[in-house]
Amino acid sequence: MEFGPLSDMRCVVLGGGGFIGTHLCRKLKGKVAGLKAFGRRQSFPEVLKDVDWFQGDFNDPSSLAAAIEGCDVVFHLVNATTPASANVDKVADVRLNVTGSLQMLEVCRAQNVKRVIFASSGGTIYGIPEILPTPEDASCWPLTSYGISKLSVERYLHLYSYLYGIDYRVVRIANPFGPFQVASKNQGVIAAFLRRMLSDQPVEVWGDGSVARDYVYIEDVADALVLAAKHVGEDKIFNIGSGVARTINEVIESLETVTGRRCRVIRREGRMVDVPISVLDVGRARQSLRWEPQTQFEEGLERTFRWLLQK
């Protein structure tokens, strides 16, 4: 499917009030023909004051329809659970995320949406990886209901493309971090650790700190989502990460360097939901999407730290 320039697109960001959504709206503002944001709440309403805001519940089709009406491109960033909480109530996870996404796709079908861009999870969807760094065509055996739900939505996107011609792109995001991450859902170790260090509180580490993750700066994630909206080509699924694995212990060392403060650590027993290592192969995004991470890890930490100090 051929797509025109970004300036011709009428877009809606579902989950626009959250961490990734806030950055994406900032990135799209003034560059697209129309921009709406939809969600239950705005974490930073001052940032979205020039964006048409639609307050509503993702699982309410009528609210969704009002937000999606007239849009060509839908960014689906909504997720009602976390990797840890999803396993506690798997039925609710499926109802809120998978069924909710199916209802959204029905609305997109009725509204003649051209393309859906879905924020999937590069950190959970592969489970214990067979290949490192992990490419998009690796086996997907998630260890959390959260990852299974993400994978299910990816498969439904393919089905709706096949049956009804709704184009899509999937962006499998590693572990994003940066300004506007509030860590209120116990997601985002960098945001959580920084806030605790600034208030002289200890951080909790599950296991011995050897768990390694791929951390990617939020501005680079927003760039990838925009590129996915206008991508032309056969590829539909893209890993978005740094391509570098960092252990929790290494992250703590970097945070101590950036803040000039000591991080007090409380060790907890390791969790089954935490795969030992997750790092993404971003070669496809580099070649097909013309994307690669621009922000060095330490630079991203510095920016995040400076933003927190101003709050």
Side-chain angles (χ1 to χ4, degrees):
M1 181 179 291
E2 291 294 326
F3 267 71
L6 198 65
S7 58
D8 290 344
M9 294 182 187
R10 294 165 298 168
C11 304
V12 60
V13 179
L14 307 180
F19 171 44
I20 298 176
T22 297
H23 281 272
L24 178 59
C25 287
R26 291 177 78 200
K27 192 74 68 173
L28 292 171
K29 196 164 58 176
K31 297 176 184 174
V32 294
L35 178 61
K36 302 177 186 178
F38 171 89
R40 283 185 173 180
R41 65 186 67 86
Q42 303 176 58
S43 299
F44 299 93
E46 70 280 3
V47 181
L48 301 180
K49 64 180 185 296
D50 298 326
V51 176
D52 286 338
W53 173 254
F54 287 74
Q55 186 163 354
D57 189 325
F58 181 65
N59 282 271
D60 175 13
S62 60
S63 294
L64 267 181
I68 292 173
E69 184 180 7
C71 291
D72 311 303
V73 177
V74 173
F75 292 90
H76 177 11
L77 312 182
V78 174
N79 211 90
T81 58
T82 68
S85 72
N87 271 8
V88 174
D89 191 341
K90 303 170 191 64
V91 173
D93 179 59
V94 171
R95 185 180 71 251
L96 293 170
N97 296 314
V98 180
T99 304
S101 295
L102 266 173
Q103 290 175 166
M104 178 215 69
L105 284 170
E106 282 297 311
V107 171
C108 289
R109 179 185 166 200
Q111 299 282 353
N112 295 313
V113 167
K114 291 181 180 177
R115 177 175 286 182
V116 176
I117 294 91
F118 175 53
S120 190
S121 171
T124 65
I125 207 163
Y126 298 107
I128 298 175
E130 299 169 351
I131 308 168
L132 293 170
T134 307
E136 291 87 349
D137 56 5
S139 299
C140 293
W141 292 103
L143 298 183
T144 69
S145 183
Y146 179 95
I148 293 170
S149 292
K150 291 287 191 184
L151 186 58
S152 298
V153 175
E154 290 188 15
R155 298 293 189 255
Y156 277 116
L157 284 165
H158 176 77
L159 178 65
Y160 272 68
S161 176
Y162 177 75
L163 292 178
Y164 311 116
I166 300 174
D167 198 15
Y168 71 93
R169 294 295 182 273
V170 171
V171 177
R172 290 177 175 170
I173 303 166
N175 292 70
F177 73 98
F180 303 120
Q181 190 173 34
V182 297
S184 60
K185 291 163 65 176
N186 291 320
Q187 256 183 312
V189 296
I190 289 172
F193 284 10
L194 270 175
R195 287 175 186 276
R196 295 191 73 81
M197 289 171 71
L198 285 172
S199 58
D200 197 30
Q201 294 178 297
V203 305
E204 288 187 334
V205 172
W206 305 92
D208 62 4
S210 64
V211 165
R213 294 288 179 268
D214 185 335
Y215 298 93
V216 59
Y217 190 62
I218 186 61
E219 288 286 339
D220 293 332
V221 173
D223 285 339
L225 288 163
V226 172
L227 288 169
K230 55 183 183 177
H231 176 259
V232 176
E234 295 300 313
D235 293 319
K236 295 188 182 297
I237 299 176
F238 300 96
N239 284 338
I240 299 299
S242 68
V244 177
R246 289 179 170 83
T247 67
I248 291 293
N249 291 332
E250 289 170 336
V251 168
I252 289 172
E253 286 178 19
S254 296
L255 289 173
E256 288 181 331
T257 300
V258 165
T259 63
R261 301 175 183 225
R262 180 174 168 272
C263 181
R264 293 186 291 126
V265 177
I266 296 174
R267 303 272 177 190
R268 305 291 190 198
E269 189 175 345
R271 301 179 297 184
M272 290 188 71
V273 297
D274 292 325
V275 300
I277 182 169
S278 172
V279 57
L280 302 181
D281 181 341
V282 295
R284 180 186 292 178
R286 186 176 287 115
Q287 183 174 0
S288 180
L289 203 57
R290 299 290 186 262
W291 175 92
E292 60 183 339
Q294 300 295 314
T295 312
Q296 294 294 321
F297 181 66
E298 289 75 14
E299 180 188 348
L301 290 185
E302 286 274 6
R303 292 183 192 175
T304 308
F305 179 52
R306 286 199 301 270
W307 175 78
L308 270 174
L309 287 176
Q310 294 167 5
K311 284 191 60 56

